Amino acid sequence: QCVATLEGHENEVKSVAWAPSGSLLATCSRDKSVWVWEVDEEEEYECVSVLNSHTQDVKHVVWHPTQELLASASYDDTVKLYHEEEDDWVCCATLEGHESTVWSVAFDGSGERLASCSDDKTVRIWQCYKPGNEEGVACSGTDPTWKCVCNLSGFHSRTIYDVSWCHLTGALATACGDDAIRVFEESTAPPQPPTFSLTAHHCYSSTSSCVITLHCSASVLSTSVEAEPSLRKRPRVSFSRHMSLMARAVFPVSFLE
């Protein structure tokens, strides 16, 4: 049964997300705003903050896995982060670098990294650096700094609509307008100018500031599901030379090379 209807947005609501505590709900809309709702023990909802930091419609919201830190992706090409400060919610960071609409964002299991995907056909990996970090990344006061440490380009030929971290294996999956799903893994090799491998050709990162390396371990090219189970075709999957056990866990189906 429907126990509550939350109204207030002035245009399409694009995304909703629960905080880890279950006491906060974030919503975002084409009206360019992000709302934070608080729910009490009696399941009464109250809007505790309306955030108008974006200049265009907001596509996606997601919470940090362990903290009350909220991230949003927008048509204005940016990612914004929010936290509570003195009984109100404020924008604490703006991540810039994408050249077109940012469709989705996702934290990894530790919450120390954030992935964003865009209409510019790239995925960016952002790392959280806390004050006094060993890498020497400058921070403002006690606030951490989020820095782009990897730009995955050359793998997708159309808009990337969604991105998701596996909190168990650390694998990163993307959903693309070119009909394919790709899975990336971080290389354990020492930091160096990163090289990315995908199927039979190689792509190089266009960002010189990359400090981590990821490679594509699997790419689902197409699936066809008919009305009868007997007519279902198996996904055709292209692998890089060294197929990992992780990819088999992410895609628990039979593969056909």
Side-chain angles (χ1 to χ4, degrees), residues 18-245:
W18 289 102
S21 66
S23 62
L24 295 171
L25 178 69
T27 62
C28 67
S29 169
R30 196 172 179 180
D31 64 11
K32 309 176 188 178
S33 70
V34 173
W35 290 42
V36 179
W37 307 79
E38 187 174 49
V39 55
D40 59 24
E41 296 178 356
E42 298 179 355
E43 295 189 356
E44 294 291 333
Y45 291 80
E46 177 187 3
C47 178
V48 294
S49 187
V50 176
L51 301 160
N52 293 296
S53 299
H54 285 293
T55 59
Q56 297 292 336
D57 58 304
V58 190
K59 302 295 188 183
H60 190 81
V61 285
V62 66
W63 289 94
H64 186 282
T66 60
Q67 303 174 19
E68 289 186 349
L69 177 68
L70 179 66
S72 63
S74 173
Y75 189 76
D76 64 12
D77 309 345
T78 70
V79 174
K80 291 186 181 290
L81 301 176
Y82 314 87
H83 64 193
E84 191 174 20
E85 187 176 287
E86 298 181 355
D87 296 326
D88 196 10
W89 286 80
V90 297
C91 178
C92 58
T94 298
L95 311 185
E96 298 178 317
H98 282 294
E99 298 176 356
S100 191
T101 302
V102 183
W103 281 97
S104 183
V105 285
F107 284 100
D108 71 353
S110 69
E112 297 298 311
R113 288 177 179 172
L114 181 72
S116 59
C117 63
S118 170
D119 189 53
D120 65 11
K121 308 172 188 176
T122 70
V123 174
R124 286 179 175 261
I125 309 297
W126 309 83
Q127 175 77 42
C128 177
Y129 292 95
K130 298 178 180 178
N133 61 84
E134 296 179 356
E135 293 81 1
V137 177
C139 297
S140 177
T142 59
D143 292 330
T145 294
W146 289 82
K147 180 181 178 181
C148 181
V149 294
C150 191
N151 182 18
L152 295 170
S153 62
F155 295 106
H156 307 83
S157 60
R158 300 186 70 176
T159 298
I160 309 168
Y161 289 107
D162 200 13
V163 62
S164 178
W165 286 98
C166 177
H167 288 186
L168 294 178
T169 66
L172 184 69
T174 61
C176 184
D178 61 9
D179 306 342
I181 301 151
R182 295 173 177 83
V183 179
F184 298 85
E185 293 179 312
E186 182 177 359
S187 171
T188 57
Q192 57 185 342
T195 300
F196 304 107
S197 61
L198 175 63
T199 313
H201 67 277
H202 295 274
C203 302
Y204 296 88
S205 169
S206 60
T207 301
S208 60
S209 62
C210 286
V211 297
I212 65 172
T213 304
L214 290 90
H215 68 274
C216 187
S217 59
S219 179
V220 176
L221 301 180
S222 64
T223 60
S224 179
V225 181
E226 305 294 340
E228 295 294 332
S230 61
L231 298 179
R232 294 177 182 175
K233 297 180 181 179
R234 291 179 292 173
R236 294 187 175 274
V237 181
S238 296
F239 294 95
S240 56
R241 181 174 297 177
H242 301 288
M243 173 62 185
S244 70
L245 293 176

